[in-house]
Amino acid sequence: MLSLTHSPTTQFAWNGKIYDIDLAFDTVLLYLQMQEDKDLSPFQKWRQSCKLFFSKNQDLPDDPQFYTKAFDVIAKIITDQPYGLKEPDKNDERGVEATKQIDYVRDAGAIYASFFDQYGIDLNKERGKMHWTTFKALFDGLGPKTYFQRILAIRREDPSKIEDPAAKQELLDAQNYYAVDGSKTEEELERQALNSSSLSSMFDSLLDQSQKGGN
């Protein structure tokens, strides 16, 4: 999460050497999107993740433990929440699992417009520069009148609590229009993308490939 007393993490120390880590917001978003790509194998995702977070001009060690520890650091930075995760309401009248409410691809235009409207920030000019922790703090601080938060309000509203048939149908149409796929919250998806056991299996695969001389 964002700190007012320490600079955002951009480096990782290993065996006395310092390695640069790219944690710009657009890099993290690309990583999260890639984890949902069903056409990529776990090993391919791991290789692509390394290319995203570590620059090509660095001589990275062959030790799988380097990547295990580095991704532990990256995972903590990406998934840290200042006030903890909200537990799902088990008494929800609809009796359904909390659905994914954010899609950084589909919602890109709304997020861009909201940042520009509230902060005067052109996110296209911040690619490769704005750190993920800065982006996340500003993202979480978007006001209720911004385009993106209005969309979220539509997704979260419970149609069963609306008695007027016309108003209910209007909400259902709006929810259908702004719907995103998936049955997990964005926080769950972020944590799943950086799940330590999944990463460990990728590192084991890397080690096996290197011992066999595979690419």
Side-chain angles (χ1 to χ4, degrees):
M1 73 188 102
L2 185 70
S3 171
L4 297 179
T5 56
H6 297 84
S7 299
T9 300
T10 57
Q11 294 180 323
F12 173 69
W14 178 259
N15 289 342
K17 293 184 178 181
I18 302 297
Y19 299 88
D20 293 326
I21 303 175
D22 180 2
L23 284 168
F25 79 95
D26 51 309
T27 298
V28 175
L29 293 181
L30 283 172
Y31 171 79
L32 295 174
Q33 293 165 22
M34 182 176 62
Q35 301 313 303
E36 297 187 58
D37 189 340
K38 297 179 180 179
D39 293 329
L40 294 177
S41 69
F43 186 70
Q44 288 174 318
K45 290 180 181 180
W46 181 86
R47 292 290 297 272
Q48 292 299 321
S49 298
C50 289
K51 292 179 181 179
L52 283 174
F53 291 121
F54 301 101
S55 62
K56 297 179 181 179
N57 59 358
Q58 295 186 94
D59 186 16
L60 300 177
D62 294 329
D63 186 356
Q65 284 299 312
F66 165 82
Y67 299 97
T68 301
K69 297 299 182 183
F71 272 85
D72 282 345
V73 172
I74 293 170
K76 180 174 176 56
I77 293 171
I78 293 178
T79 61
D80 258 4
Q81 301 287 335
Y83 308 112
L85 291 175
K86 181 180 179 182
E87 292 296 326
D89 185 0
K90 295 182 180 179
N91 296 318
D92 192 315
E93 293 179 2
R94 289 168 291 178
V96 295
E97 180 183 4
T99 57
K100 178 182 175 184
Q101 295 179 337
I102 302 172
D103 185 326
Y104 287 117
V105 175
R106 192 172 299 183
D107 293 329
I111 294 171
Y112 174 90
S114 299
F115 267 69
F116 196 84
D117 177 43
Q118 181 161 313
Y119 305 118
I121 294 175
D122 183 340
L123 285 176
N124 282 330
K125 295 181 179 179
E126 295 296 327
R127 289 201 300 265
K129 296 187 291 185
M130 181 184 288
H131 195 275
W132 169 256
T133 55
T134 301
F135 170 84
K136 198 65 165 65
L138 295 173
F139 178 80
D140 291 341
L142 289 174
K145 294 183 179 180
T146 57
Y147 182 25
F148 177 69
Q149 286 294 344
R150 295 201 306 271
I151 291 176
L152 276 189
I154 291 172
R155 289 173 180 163
R156 292 168 175 165
E157 191 167 353
D158 186 352
S160 67
K161 296 182 179 181
I162 300 178
E163 296 183 0
D164 180 68
K168 179 183 289 189
Q169 186 59 50
E170 183 178 355
L171 174 61
L172 289 171
D173 290 341
Q175 287 182 332
N176 183 62
Y177 180 76
Y178 289 114
V180 293
D181 296 328
S183 60
K184 295 185 178 181
T185 63
E186 197 65 24
E187 291 87 355
E188 288 172 327
L189 288 169
E190 288 176 3
R191 291 186 180 278
Q192 178 178 303
L194 288 158
N195 181 274
S196 59
S197 62
S198 296
L199 288 172
S200 296
S201 66
M202 294 181 199
F203 300 136
D204 292 341
S205 177
L206 171 66
L207 182 59
D208 182 61
Q209 288 286 337
S210 63
Q211 291 173 339
K212 294 178 179 179
N215 294 321

